[in-house]
Amino acid sequence: NAGVTQTPKFRVLKTGQSMTLLCAQDMNHEYMYWYRQDPGMGLRLIHYSVGEGTTAKGEVPDGYNVSRLKKQNFLLGLESAAPSQTSVYFCASSYSGRSYEQYFGPGTRLTVT
Amino acid sequence: GQQLNQSPQSMFIQEGEDVSMNCTSSSIFNTWLWYKQDPGEGPVLLIALYKAGELTSNGRLTAQFGITRKDSFLNISASIPSDVGIYFCAGQPGGTSYGKLTFGQGTILTVHP
């Protein structure tokens, strides 16, 4: 049981490049989330999904897109990376009965130059 | 959006000392949670609180859901070196659903042996 896994762990992009971050969970959780963590600002919700095929915007969705084609996977895409998207990205999941008890992945550190 | 004010921002203590930190909001929260983040890893859930006035323990950790529903407290007794990390409070604001959480800025805890 690996829990929540994220790939890649580190990535450096040039401004304007695109990339996709992959999150996978093996706990059969219905809900999945993408957060970003910046120094002194805690975690902020980017997008979330309450089930396969559904997505919704969180607090800071601009510049990001997501897809949830399979229940166990949640993808975060950056179409045209900007330096302001330099951050640590965390994926989390929870089951619907206890949706606030979220399990986090190890994070992806992204630097945009 | 909703804001959570977490204090103190950082703490430097000696091993064996007790620790207290708190989180406050200007509006009511229906759920309070406390997470711990070790360096280079994702947050891990420590305690979840669902009722005003609730007091819950997890080993040496004790957390309380404030009666006003606008605050929460976390105490760590007899600290040890492995308590080092960042502690985050998180809450579900009234009127929200689907596991959407607001996070505090975090308290950085350093324990000197």
Side-chain angles (χ1 to χ4, degrees):
Chain A
N1 188 336
V4 179
T5 58
Q6 294 182 233
T7 53
K9 291 185 73 68
F10 303 94
R11 184 74 186 268
V12 178
L13 288 179
K14 294 187 187 302
T15 298
Q17 288 185 321
S18 63
M19 77 163 295
T20 300
L21 282 67
L22 172 64
C23 175
Q25 53 93 6
D26 61 2
M27 297 174 282
N28 203 34
H29 284 167
E30 295 90 347
Y31 295 178
M32 296 186 75
Y33 316 83
W34 276 107
Y35 292 89
R36 61 177 289 173
Q37 183 178 32
D38 301 296
M41 298 189 73
L43 290 97
R44 292 182 292 168
L45 183 64
I46 304 171
H47 286 282
Y48 64 100
S49 168
V50 300
E52 184 178 316
T54 71
T55 63
K57 294 180 180 180
E59 181 185 354
V60 288
D62 293 342
Y64 305 96
N65 56 76
V66 289
S67 64
R68 185 129 180 244
L69 300 180
K70 294 183 179 181
K71 184 177 185 179
Q72 63 267 35
N73 296 336
F74 196 27
L75 278 62
L76 177 71
L78 286 73
E79 291 187 347
S80 180
S84 61
Q85 294 177 304
T86 293
S87 187
V88 182
Y89 291 86
F90 289 99
C91 176
S93 70
S94 65
Y95 97 93
S96 56
R98 290 272 191 182
S99 60
Y100 305 106
E101 297 178 15
Q102 299 178 11
Y103 293 81
F104 284 80
T108 294
R109 184 173 293 275
L110 175 66
T111 302
V112 183
T113 61
Chain B
Q2 301 286 348
Q3 296 261 343
L4 288 182
N5 297 309
Q6 193 170 344
S7 65
Q9 290 189 347
S10 61
M11 302 182 74
F12 299 84
I13 63 170
Q14 291 292 129
E15 182 176 359
E17 290 183 357
D18 296 343
V19 173
S20 292
M21 59 189 78
N22 69 80
C23 207
T24 60
S25 171
S26 58
S27 55
I28 289 174
F29 277 63
N30 292 336
T31 303
W32 287 95
L33 306 101
W34 287 90
Y35 285 85
K36 182 194 178 199
Q37 185 177 26
D38 290 329
E41 298 188 13
V44 173
L45 180 64
L46 298 173
I47 294 177
L49 303 157
Y50 288 94
K51 292 169 57 176
E54 182 179 352
L55 186 71
T56 298
S57 294
N58 178 4
R60 291 179 296 105
L61 279 63
T62 301
Q64 184 164 23
F65 191 140
I67 290 180
T68 65
R69 298 172 70 184
K70 294 182 178 181
D71 54 14
S72 179
F73 308 87
L74 176 69
N75 295 313
I76 305 173
S77 63
S79 59
I80 58 178
S82 63
D83 289 335
V84 165
I86 305 176
Y87 291 79
F88 290 99
C89 63
Q92 176 229 345
T96 63
S97 59
Y98 298 129
K100 292 174 70 175
L101 293 175
T102 298
F103 282 81
Q105 310 96 312
T107 293
I108 302 171
L109 179 63
T110 303
V111 180
H112 294 289

